[in-house]
Amino acid sequence: MSAIFGTAGEVMIYLDHSATTPVDPRVAEAMKPYLTESFGNPSSIYRAGQDVRMAVEQARETIAALLGARPKEIIFTSGGTESDNTAIKGLALKRGSGHIVTSAIEHPAVLNVVKWLEKNGFTATYVPVGSDGVVDPGEVRKALKPDTVIISVMHANNEVGTIQPIEEIASIAKEARIPFHTDAVQTAGKLPLDVGGMGIDLLSLSAHKFYGPKGIGVLYAGQGIRFEPCVHGGHQEWGKRGGTENVPGIVGLGKAAEIAMGEMQADELRVRALRDKLEAGLADRISDIDFNGHREKRLGGVANVCIRYVEGEAMLLRLDYHGIAASSGSACTSGSLEPSHVLLAIGIPAEIAHSSLRFSLGKGNSQEDIDKVLEVLPPIVEKLRSMSAFPR
Ligand code: PLP
């Protein structure tokens, strides 16, 4: 992919692909007609509508192929958050009451749904993770209750990149006859997925994490899985998600899936090699640096580090000054910096969690980008440490 430009037109070294990805130009090209001349409503019976319907159904088939699913099991949504809501809330509300099992390191799109359900009469268990950020399937088994209605464990974590043993968790779910949902927002289009072979009943994905547009995603729901729709409305998506389809988004998602099927394996190997060089270079140049998450069981593009005695946000601002975009584990909530719940869950003390940085690499990154980070970050750390009020 070509260079990425910041809002002021400057070249940016973009190392935040877990947050979002640039739209692949081939995706933008595929979407264009559906933003201009092909504007029909796919529910209209005249030709201009039916042509658009065909484009929607073609995209559905491509997504089904990406997941090893049937087209009828693909429901288009507005993104990962809505898919997670529909899977968990939809299933829980269909049952009316019961217990939910999830992990302590889920994205807020899952955690806050489960918390909402707790406020509305459901109970929940948040399974802990080990210091490597991996969920122990044995803990999932232990958490099950006679009234457990759903198990939801993410495929890969968005902060540390750890890949969870979802096949093992799915088989525990199957044995207990409990539907299993996985949030695959960080893995769809990056790692091979096969819902049948992996035992997944419900899966969430989002186009903007793999070079598609924002505001479009999918909920895969296997045949026979019953849930209450989150968006009631028209008959669209077989009544499972009302609302006129986001046609340009759906076409873009289909194109992104098609590209991913051809390129994800090579991309994963390439970003993994770059990420490993970045980590090795940081370890050589910066003292008191910790690398978070399981060393092998994690996404190839993600490096999550804690650089002790320096605020993550302070490093980010200085990296930004040098045209480098990354992210930190602290989220700014109502004016205060909250340490990442994921880093806390893997046992990192709050003061160290505040010193975290996440680099997430993607298609457009090159060795020069890594060299630039390795040139720029060590002096930033040195400078900040010399001014730091952190106890050492
Ligand atoms: N789940 C995970 C693991 C994510 O990383 C994200 C986005 O960061 C979401 C869900 C939410 O997806 P969306 O931005 O499409 O609503």
Side-chain angles (χ1 to χ4, degrees), residues 267-284:
D267 284 345
E268 169 73 9
L269 287 174
R270 208 181 64 80
V271 295
R272 182 177 290 274
L274 286 175
R275 189 271 318 268
D276 290 348
K277 283 185 188 166
L278 172 66
E279 288 192 339
L282 293 175
D284 277 350

Side-chain angles (χ1 to χ4, degrees), residues 18-20 78-84 105-110 154-159 183-187 204-209 214-217 358:
S18 299
T20 194
S78 64
T81 302
E82 186 188 324
S83 298
D84 286 342
I105 59 163
E106 298 296 312
H107 188 273
V110 167
M154 70 198 321
H155 190 195
N157 180 262
N158 46 299
E159 293 191 32
D183 175 336
V185 167
Q186 291 293 340
T187 52
S204 306
L205 67 80
S206 179
H208 76 101
K209 305 291 186 181
K214 293 170 183 53
I216 183 75
R358 179 190 67 185

Side-chain angles (χ1 to χ4, degrees), residues 223-243:
Q223 268 177 0
I225 301 288
R226 303 271 170 265
F227 60 89
E228 192 60 42
C230 264
V231 181
H232 292 97
H235 57 274
Q236 294 91 352
E237 305 299 283
W238 306 284
K240 293 173 181 169
R241 201 279 185 179

